[in-house]
Amino acid sequence: MAAAERLYAEHGLSNVSNRQIGEAAGQGNNTAVSYHFGSRATLVRAIMSRHGDAIDVIRTRYVEAAGDSPDLRDWVRCFMRPVTEHNAALGVPSWHARFSVQVMTDPLMRVLVADESLTRDSLRRTLQGLGRCLHDIVPPEARKGRADMARHLIVHTCAEREYALAEDPAEAGSSWERTADALEDALVGLLAAPTTRR
C-alpha cells in the first residue's frame, strides 16, 4: 500500500501498473497486487480508508470539543484541521496529500471514497454542525457549491504543502500549522461570504 500510494502520488492513478507497484514493494510475484487487492479501485479505497481511520480519530476529538457550538469557525476546524494534523504526523517525505489529489480528481474514485467517508460519524456530525451555522446566512443552492470549493481548497492546498516540504524538508517545523491557520481563515470566509443577488 505504501509503494502504491507513493507511485500514484508521483505519477497519477492511470500511469502506474500493478507490476510497477509490486516491483516498488519488493514483491517478486508480478500478480501480488491483484492477489491482495483484486482491483485498482479496491487498493485505492484501502489506502484512503487507512488514512481515513486516522483522520476520524482526530476529528472525533474536535467534534467532542465543539459540542453544540453555534460558531462556524469551530466546525470549520472540525472539518479541515484533522486533515492537516494527520498530514503533519506522517513526517517528510509523505505522499498522502498528493495521492488524495489524484483520487479526488478521478470521477470514479472520488465517488467510492466519498461514499465511504460519509459513513463516518465524526464527519456526519461535522457536516451537520456546518449546516446549522450556515442555515440562516447561505441559501441552500449556494451551500453545495461552496462545499465542493471547500473540499478542493483543502485537498489542493495540502498537496501543495506536502510537495513543498518534500522539496525543502527544513521548512517542516510549523509549516502544517501555518497551513491550517490559513485554510481555516479562507474556509470561514468562503463558506459565510454574502451571495451575489441577480
Side-chain angles (χ1 to χ4, degrees):
M1 286 170 64
E5 181 177 47
R6 177 177 58 80
L7 290 173
Y8 287 147
E10 292 176 338
H11 305 290
L13 297 179
S14 61
N15 296 322
V16 177
S17 69
N18 286 352
R19 175 187 288 263
Q20 289 170 306
I21 295 168
E23 289 172 358
Q27 297 292 313
N29 183 351
N30 291 332
T31 62
V33 174
S34 298
Y35 175 78
H36 289 290
F37 296 98
S39 70
R40 178 187 315 265
T42 305
L43 172 57
V44 167
R45 194 171 188 172
I47 296 167
M48 290 297 283
S49 183
R50 185 186 68 193
H51 288 290
D53 291 343
I55 292 168
D56 191 47
V57 169
I58 301 168
R59 182 171 285 126
T60 298
R61 190 177 76 237
Y62 273 92
V63 169
E64 288 171 359
D68 293 325
S69 175
D71 186 349
L72 175 61
R73 189 171 287 271
D74 288 340
W75 294 105
V76 166
R77 284 185 189 126
C78 292
F79 190 56
M80 67 84 187
R81 288 214 181 240
V83 176
T84 57
E85 280 189 28
H86 175 66
N87 287 335
L90 296 174
V92 177
S94 61
W95 294 273
H96 172 251
R98 288 171 283 172
F99 169 70
S100 294
V101 165
Q102 300 294 333
V103 173
M104 298 310 283
T105 55
D106 180 286
L108 173 63
M109 297 299 180
R110 184 177 67 221
V111 169
L112 288 174
V113 170
D115 287 349
E116 192 269 337
S117 67
L118 289 173
T119 65
R120 297 180 184 276
D121 185 58
S122 68
L123 182 58
R124 277 190 283 115
R125 288 169 63 192
T126 297
L127 295 175
Q128 289 167 355
L130 286 167
R132 286 192 303 272
C133 292
L134 297 172
H135 185 269
D136 294 330
I137 58 175
V138 179
E141 62 274 10
R143 280 185 233 142
K144 167 80 169 81
R146 290 186 187 190
D148 290 342
M149 289 180 224
R151 185 187 71 244
H152 286 294
L153 185 60
I154 294 167
V155 170
H156 288 275
T157 300
C158 287
E160 289 293 325
R161 172 55 48 211
E162 185 180 72
Y163 178 78
L165 290 173
E167 293 294 302
D168 184 10
E171 178 69 13
S174 63
S175 183
W176 280 110
E177 188 65 30
R178 288 193 312 271
T179 299
D181 291 344
L183 270 172
E184 182 179 312
D185 293 341
L187 289 167
V188 169
L190 167 66
L191 293 172
T195 54
T196 301
R197 301 292 179 199
R198 296 200 180 276

